[in-house]
Amino acid sequence: MAKLFGTNTRARMTVAASVMAMAIAAPAFAAEPAPAADDSATTKEIVVTAQFRSQKLQDTPLSITAVNADLLKSRNQTDISQIAAQAPNVSLTPMGGAFGSSMAAYIRGIGQYDFNPAYEPGVGMYVDDVYYATLTGSVMDLLDLERVEVLRGPQGTLTGRNSIGGAIKLFSVKPNATNSGMVEAAYGARNRVDLRASANFALTDTVFMRVSGVYKRQDGYVNMVDYGCANPGNSLGITASAGSGKDCIVGKLGEKNYTGVRASIRYNPSDKFDWTIIGDYSYENRTNAAGVITSMNTAKTGGVDFTCGRFCTYANFYMAAGGQAGQSYSMPSNLTFSGWGVSSNATYSLSDDLKITSITAYRKYHQIFGTDDDYTPYSTIAGAGYNDLTFKFFSQELRVNGKIGSLGEWTLGGFYNDQTSVYFTRQDIRYIVPGVPALYLQFTGNDPIRANSKAAFGTVILHPMEGLTLTGGLRYTKEHKDYTFTRIRWDGGTLVDPFGVGALNGAVANYDGEKVDWRISADYRFSPNVMAYATVSTGFKGGGVTARPFTRTQATNGTFRPETLTAYEGGVKTDWLDRRLRLNASVFYNDYKNMQLPISDCSLLDGFAPGTDPFPCAAIQNAGDGKMYGFELEMSATPVPGLAIDGALSYIDGEWSRISSQVTSIKLTDPITSPNWKWSLGVQYDADMGSNGTLTPRLDLAHTGRQSLGRLAITAPLDYNPAMTLANARLTWKNPGKDLAISLEVSNLFDKYYTLPIRFAALYAFAGTGYSTVGRPREWAISVKKTF
C-alpha cells in the first residue's frame, strides 16, 4: 500500500478534493445574485433515467456523462466507440484480428475485451433499456439517438443486469405525434459514402411510428501487400501470387460496409399507458480490421523482418499443406455480421404514485471471420483460424416504481435472461521452434455455451429533510453457465494430438454462483446550484470456465471465481454564473478482488522450464486483488450567446495488494490497462449571419495518456502505447429556417499515427510477431442534411 499513500498520489487526491471543496464553498462569496442570463447563454438541461425515474443530470448522485444527439453530431461521432474520447476514465476500443467485430469496454479500469461468449462484459451495454449481453456486434451505429448516458461505477442495483465497471445506455428517439423526417448524405476520403434517414408518422391520435436507416461504406487504409511480388528472389522462396495488383497490393484492411435499420411503433392512449415495440437489423460485410505488425523478433522468423510499413501488411491469411491440411488453403480476410432484435417496453400507471414497467427482448446474431494469427506470409510459422459464432439472447425485466408521499420513492424489480451461443472454429496452430520437433495443434471446435441469470433488486430514495437525500439499493443475483467442448479432427474423426486436447471432446464444464450487492448514497443540496454526494457500492462479474484450454489440466482446473468490487465515491455537481458554467467533480477508490485475467500460463506443460513454454495457453484465472483510485472533472460553459465550451479531465492509478499463488511464472504489471491521464476540450461558436443563416465552426481535442497494453507482462517489447492527442474539426452552415445544414468535417486533423491499445501477441513467444490495429488517418467528409 506504499504507493497508494505515497506523496504523488496524496498530492493528486488533495488537488481533486480541493477542487470539490471550492466548488461547494465558492457560491457563498457572492454578495448578491448576478443578473439573469440570456437563455441562449445557459447550459442546457439534460434529463437522465439512471435511477429508474426522470431526473435532471445535476440532481442525480452518480458520475454520469450525458450527451445529446446534437453534441454527438457536432463532434463527428457516428458509432458508440467514439463517445469515449470525451468521457472521463472510459475506454471503448474497436477490436480486430482474432476478436472479430467486437469492442473492448473499460470504465475506471474495469471491463473486458475477449469476445468469447463464455465471458461476460464488465461494462453493461443497454439500448432503450435492453441489456446487450455480448461484446460482439457492440460497435453500434448511433442511429436516430436522443441521448447517451455513461454511468461510472457499479450499477447492479440500478440496471437490469449486474455491471461491475459501469454502464453505457443508448436511448433512441421515441415515435411521437408529429409528421416529420430527415435525410442526410455524406461523401469523403477513400470513397466514403454515408446515407442516413428517419421518418416519424402519427398513424392515429394514439398510435405513432418511426423508421430510420443508415448505410456506411468506405475503402480500407492498410494495404495487403503480396510479399513475393514486393520482394522478388526472397530467401524464403515465396513467389508472387496470380492476384497481385498494382504495386503488389492484393486488398485493403479497415473497410467500412455497414447497414442498419430500425422501426418502432408506440401506443400512447393516455398519460397512464405507454407501450413501444422496437425492431432492428444490422449487417456488416467488410475486410478485417486494419492490423500491422508492431512487435518483431527476427530470431524466430529465420532472420526475416516481416514489418511492411505504417499502413502496410504482408499478412496473407494463407496456410501451406501440413498436418491435417493435405493441401494449402486460405482463411477469409473479411468479416460478415448479421444481427436482429425485437423489444417491448410497456409502462402502466396504476395511480399517480405507482407505476409498472415491463421490458421484454430477444436478440440473435451470426458472425463469420478468419484470422492470420502470426500476420506474416510465412505459412509454416504459426497459424490461422476460422470462426463462426451464433448467439441468441432473451431477457425479461419487470419494475414497479412507487412513492412514499413526500418522504421518498422506491423501486422493486426482477430480471431474467437466458442465452445460448454456438462457437464453431477450425484452428491450425503450428509450433515451429528452433531446436524443438515440429508440433501441430489442428482441430475443429463446435462448442455450445449456455448461461442464464436471475435477479431481484430494489432501491429506496428518502428525503428526511430539506436538501438531504438518502439512497439505498440491494440486489440478489443467481447465475449459471455451462460450456461443452468439442475437439475433433477436421474430417470429424477422433483427435490425437501431442497436448491431449482431443481428450476434451464431449467434456462439460459448469459454473453456478450467487451474489448480493448493495449501494448506500447520501447527497445534500447546499443551494439551487450546488449538490454534493457520497456513495459506497458493490458489484461483481460472474465466474466461469476457461473457454480455450490447451491441456486437460487447464480444463479441469479452469473454473474461476467471480471478481468483486467495493467502490467508494464522492462528488459535487455545480452550476455557476447563472448556469453559464457547469463544473462536476468526483473522486473514487476501488477495492477490486479476484481479478479475472488471461494469464497465458503454460507452466503445466511438460518439457519446458516454468515461464519458457512457447505455447499460447490462454487460461482465465483469478490473478489477485488490487486497488484503483482517481478523480474526474467535467465542464461545460456558455460564456456568451453562441459560444459553447466543454471539457473533461480524469486520472486513474492502481496497484496490486495480493497476487494469487496460481500466477507463478508470469510477471504482473499494472492492475489497470486504462490510461492514467485523459482530457478533452471542445469549442464551438454559432455565428448568426441574419438572413444568410448561421455558421458554426467547432474544434475538438482528445488526449490519451500512456497506456499499458496488458496487465501481464509479455515477452514482446511493446508493453505500452505512447500518449497521443487527436483533433477533429467541423464547419457547419445552416439556413435561417435551420432545416438545411451543410457541413465539412475533418477527423484526425493533424494526421497523427497511432495504434489502438489492444494487440494480439499470443504467438510472439514462438512466432516472433505481434500485431495491432492502426488508428484511422486524417479523413475529410462533406455532408448535407435536410429535415422536414
Side-chain angles (χ1 to χ4, degrees), residues 614-769:
F615 311 112
C617 304
I620 298 291
Q621 293 291 341
N622 300 106
D625 306 335
K627 314 293 183 183
M628 300 176 183
Y629 38 85
F631 65 84
E632 297 152 352
L633 304 173
E634 292 186 277
M635 176 272 294
S636 59
T638 52
V640 297
L643 178 62
I645 305 171
D646 58 84
L649 172 68
S650 63
Y651 173 80
I652 186 173
D653 205 348
E655 63 185 32
W656 292 97
S657 57
R658 180 186 67 87
I659 297 176
S660 171
S661 60
Q662 293 173 305
V663 183
T664 58
S665 60
I666 309 292
K667 177 184 176 183
L668 292 170
T669 59
D670 294 337
I672 60 170
T673 55
S674 297
N676 293 117
W677 289 98
K678 282 187 67 181
W679 60 260
S680 65
L681 180 66
V683 181
Q684 73 177 47
Y685 181 72
D686 291 329
D688 189 346
M689 300 186 298
S691 60
N692 293 318
T694 61
L695 191 65
T696 305
R698 181 178 176 93
L699 177 67
D700 282 287
L701 301 174
H703 174 82
T704 302
R706 192 179 80 147
Q707 184 169 1
S708 171
L709 293 183
R711 294 187 175 114
L712 301 166
I714 303 175
T715 51
L718 188 61
D719 292 329
Y720 289 90
N721 254 12
M724 64 177 181
T725 303
L726 299 179
N728 294 336
R730 186 181 183 92
L731 182 65
T732 301
W733 172 84
K734 292 184 180 179
N735 67 346
K738 298 189 182 300
D739 59 353
L740 177 65
I742 301 175
S743 301
L744 169 65
E745 65 180 63
V746 181
S747 57
N748 194 357
L749 181 64
F750 302 114
D751 205 19
K752 174 73 174 180
Y753 183 83
Y754 64 100
T755 57
L756 301 185
I758 304 292
R759 62 165 175 167
F760 187 83
L763 305 184
Y764 182 85
F766 70 92
T769 58

Side-chain angles (χ1 to χ4, degrees), residues 53-231:
R53 49 187 45 82
S54 296
Q55 293 176 290
K56 294 179 181 179
L57 176 66
Q58 295 302 89
D59 292 336
T60 308
L62 296 167
S63 292
I64 304 177
T65 297
V67 185
N68 62 27
D70 290 339
L71 187 54
L72 291 170
K73 184 64 179 177
S74 68
R75 290 172 173 171
N76 303 341
Q77 294 173 339
T78 61
D79 72 59
I80 189 174
S81 68
Q82 296 168 322
I83 65 175
Q86 284 82 19
N89 280 325
V90 177
S91 299
L92 303 176
T93 304
M95 301 297 286
F99 300 95
S101 180
S102 64
M103 180 177 70
Y106 286 82
I107 295 179
R108 291 179 174 173
I110 300 170
Q112 164 72 310
Y113 69 86
D114 194 330
F115 77 94
N116 193 293
Y119 308 135
E120 63 185 68
V123 173
M125 302 272 203
Y126 293 82
V127 180
D128 294 320
D129 280 330
V130 173
Y131 179 63
Y132 200 96
T134 172
L135 296 177
T136 296
S138 59
V139 189
M140 292 171 278
D141 186 85
L142 303 180
L143 174 61
D144 203 22
L145 283 190
E146 177 188 90
R147 70 184 189 280
V148 176
E149 297 178 13
V150 181
L151 286 65
R152 298 184 289 277
Q155 303 297 320
T157 64
L158 292 174
T159 57
R161 190 72 159 84
N162 53 288
S163 301
I164 184 173
I168 299 173
K169 297 186 172 184
L170 310 183
F171 295 91
S172 56
V173 179
K174 280 188 174 183
N176 53 66
T178 64
N179 291 313
S180 59
M182 176 276 294
V183 293
E184 181 179 13
Y187 180 80
R190 299 193 314 280
N191 297 314
R192 171 183 167 182
V193 174
D194 287 13
L195 300 174
R196 295 174 180 274
S198 64
N200 192 95
F201 309 97
L203 301 180
T204 70
D205 291 341
T206 59
V207 180
F208 321 120
M209 183 175 182
R210 191 172 185 90
V211 181
S212 54
V214 59
Y215 170 77
K216 298 191 292 189
R217 177 72 177 88
Q218 188 177 24
D219 294 340
Y221 56 97
V222 165
N223 293 327
M224 294 179 63
V225 175
D226 185 328
Y227 182 83
C229 173
N231 300 274

Side-chain angles (χ1 to χ4, degrees), residues 85-381:
Q86 284 82 19
N89 280 325
V90 177
S91 299
L92 303 176
T93 304
M95 301 297 286
F99 300 95
S101 180
S102 64
M103 180 177 70
Y106 286 82
I107 295 179
R108 291 179 174 173
I110 300 170
Q112 164 72 310
Y113 69 86
D114 194 330
F115 77 94
N116 193 293
Y119 308 135
E120 63 185 68
V123 173
M125 302 272 203
Y126 293 82
V127 180
D128 294 320
D129 280 330
V130 173
Y131 179 63
Y132 200 96
T134 172
L135 296 177
T136 296
S138 59
V139 189
M140 292 171 278
D141 186 85
L142 303 180
L143 174 61
D144 203 22
L145 283 190
E146 177 188 90
R147 70 184 189 280
V148 176
E149 297 178 13
V150 181
L151 286 65
R152 298 184 289 277
Q155 303 297 320
T157 64
L158 292 174
T159 57
R161 190 72 159 84
N162 53 288
S163 301
I164 184 173
I168 299 173
K169 297 186 172 184
L170 310 183
F171 295 91
S172 56
V173 179
K174 280 188 174 183
N176 53 66
T178 64
N179 291 313
S180 59
M182 176 276 294
V183 293
E184 181 179 13
Y187 180 80
R190 299 193 314 280
N191 297 314
R192 171 183 167 182
V193 174
D194 287 13
L195 300 174
R196 295 174 180 274
S198 64
N200 192 95
F201 309 97
L203 301 180
T204 70
D205 291 341
T206 59
V207 180
F208 321 120
M209 183 175 182
R210 191 172 185 90
V211 181
S212 54
V214 59
Y215 170 77
K216 298 191 292 189
R217 177 72 177 88
Q218 188 177 24
D219 294 340
Y221 56 97
V222 165
N223 293 327
M224 294 179 63
V225 175
D226 185 328
Y227 182 83
C229 173
N231 300 274
N234 61 82
S235 61
L236 301 176
I238 299 175
T239 59
S241 65
S244 298
K246 181 181 179 181
D247 299 324
C248 302
I249 297 174
V250 295
K252 289 181 178 291
L253 299 178
E255 284 182 351
K256 287 184 179 181
N257 187 8
Y258 177 92
T259 302
V261 293
R262 173 187 293 266
S264 55
I265 188 165
R266 179 185 180 191
Y267 177 51
N268 186 208
S270 68
D271 293 339
K272 288 188 174 183
F273 186 64
D274 195 352
W275 183 22
T276 302
I277 297 176
I278 302 174
D280 67 86
Y281 173 79
S282 60
Y283 177 74
E284 278 189 283
N285 186 355
R286 57 171 174 80
T287 57
N288 280 7
V292 301
I293 288 180
T294 49
S295 302
M296 187 77 226
N297 183 358
T298 57
K300 301 288 186 179
T301 60
V304 180
D305 188 343
F306 287 114
T307 55
C308 180
R310 300 202 313 165
F311 293 101
C312 172
T313 180
Y314 291 130
N316 61 2
F317 297 81
Y318 170 83
M319 293 295 286
Q324 296 180 42
Q327 58 185 11
S328 61
Y329 68 94
S330 294
M331 290 291 182
S333 61
N334 69 301
L335 175 151
T336 60
F337 173 92
S338 61
W340 61 271
V342 293
S343 66
S344 165
N345 190 322
T347 299
Y348 181 67
S349 297
L350 298 174
S351 67
D352 292 340
D353 295 337
L354 195 62
K355 181 173 67 175
I356 299 177
T357 300
S358 173
I359 304 170
T360 309
Y362 178 81
R363 178 160 295 279
K364 181 179 180 179
Y365 69 69
H366 182 210
Q367 175 179 240
I368 297 175
F369 65 99
T371 65
D372 186 339
D373 292 332
D374 56 272
Y375 244 62
T376 77
Y378 194 21
S379 59
T380 60
I381 286 182

